[in-house]
Amino acid sequence: MFHQVIDGALVATAFADVIDPSTGTAFQRSPVASADELDRAVTAARRAQPAWTALDWDAREACLVQLANAIDGEIEWIAALHSMEQGMPYGQSLTFTRLTTARIRLIASFRIADRTIFDDAVRKVVERWHPLGVVAAIAPWNGPLLLGMIKVASALIAGNTIVLKPSELTPLSTLELARLSIGILPDGVFNTIAGGRETGAAMVAHRGFDKISFTGSTATGIAIATQSAPLLRPLTLELGGNDAAILLPDGSIDDLVIAAAQSGFSNCGQFCAAIKRIYAPRHLAEEVGAKLAAAANAFVIASAFVPRATLGPIQNKAQFDKVCAIVADATAAGGRVLSGGAPLDRPGYFFPPTVIADLADGARLVDEEQFGPVIPIVAYDDVNAVIDRVNAGPYGLTGSIWTKDLDRGEALAARLVVGSAAINRHAAFDPHVAFPLIKQSGLGVDYAEYGIRGTMRLQAVTTMKPQAAPLSEPAA
Ligand code: NAD
């Protein structure tokens, strides 16, 4: 049985089904937090926070490293749960779980130092960083462990305590991981509660949190921002994207195709930052489509524990239905299917990697976030018009330019209104580098020391030193 962790204890009273996306049927039950359990988690986190903050950074790092070691000790079990609930092939879940523990260790090694601005005979002025207090973290289903634990590690190393809610669609691996934290982290420092939309909304409404850190859809992010406005409470929102990859005439089609298959097809394209549309010079669009279709056809589609599987099902029915509808819209709009194009005729939510050519801006597949294994190829004549069209869209997560002319690539990348731009690579996630969230892709900056500072508050402290003669106050 799976439990929430509240104040160092295992708690579960009400339950909901968890669906196996490779069959579409329930395979487990997960707790659903009551209002009282949410209150108990917040109270425990508030009570535990002063002592956790009072530990120094090294002591907090030691606890987080111990947690990472404990997860590594049960990595096969955690990764298997991740595969069962998320649908990802087991080998890829293992990689993601290893990445999660590596990321916990790395984040725990960062330090945020105070900064002395003046220290002279008259005064000392210091910018001090304090933890915010208690953080509410709400995570999505596309990369449940990694995305949730980045929030946890960033908040905890800074001296905050936390209540984490995984997605109701993929709660189990996170709950198991949290169970391992009992006895490693002091009681109340890391609490998990489970549940869906109502539980998330109850967290956002709860006055016991000092910050909401959310990863998920833009629609939910806007709902959270709206609900949070009266409290003016700090928010980090990591939301959707519709990343464009723009090929220039001299760019490597082969490199672009590899990146598109890795980000746009692997994990069924369920990455926030992934190639979600390709703009190709008109005379190259056919070649790009043919090569991407060949890469699409090379995936072995099967449930997570089939040894040769490289692609599992879409994670849930709502997302599967959305992908089916968006592909139907694309073909109705004149799109030419080069690979895939229809769901597999078997139980579960399997949809083959799909490439659709002959689409233009205005088709849903080009304009919206599909969050599925489907990539449109859009032929263009004028790259300046492409940049303008991409910038006119609502999202601004990441984007890429593919060219051998690095100066031109950098100049075009600088014109893309996105948080992260790359040349000859897409979504170059590096935990040492800022991940800025702009437009309808979010609010705030994550990763590196930015992610940690996002869980802290800045205080300016001025100390006047004793003077032989009184200082005259400047007029206000
Ligand atoms: P979602 O918004 O449906 O759900 C995310 C989480 O929010 C879940 O835990 C859910 O229970 C909770 N939730 C739902 N309604 C809520 C409400 N009203 N108040 C509070 N919490 C609520 O998102 P999803 O479908 O799970 O995730 C997919 C989306 O996440 C995609 O759009 C993807 O691009 C985005 N994403 C963004 C990033 C990023 O870093 N920018 C990373 C991963 C995923």
Side-chain angles (χ1 to χ4, degrees), residues 139 141 165 168 200 214-217 220 238-240 272 369 371:
W141 47 261
K165 188 191 86 61
E168 65 277 27
F214 169 78
T215 301
S217 64
T220 306
E238 304 190 354
L239 310 179
C272 54
E369 181 187 46
F371 219 57

Side-chain angles (χ1 to χ4, degrees), residues 137-143 147 151 165-170 195-204 212 214-221 223-224 227 237-242 269-273 276 315-316 319 322 369 371 395 397 429 435-437 441-442 446-447:
I138 303 176
W141 47 261
N142 62 313
L147 298 172
K151 294 184 189 303
K165 188 191 86 61
S167 167
E168 65 277 27
L169 301 169
T170 54
R197 179 170 298 272
E198 295 74 23
T199 311
M203 289 173 80
V204 178
I212 310 287
F214 169 78
T215 301
S217 64
T218 296
T220 306
I224 289 174
Q227 204 183 344
L237 302 176
E238 304 190 354
L239 310 179
N242 188 13
Q270 300 165 137
F271 292 117
C272 54
K276 293 181 178 166
Q315 199 280 326
N316 60 76
Q319 192 57 41
K322 179 179 173 188
E369 181 187 46
F371 219 57
Y395 296 111
L397 201 56
F429 280 128
F435 187 55
L437 300 149
S441 292
D446 210 349
Y447 290 6

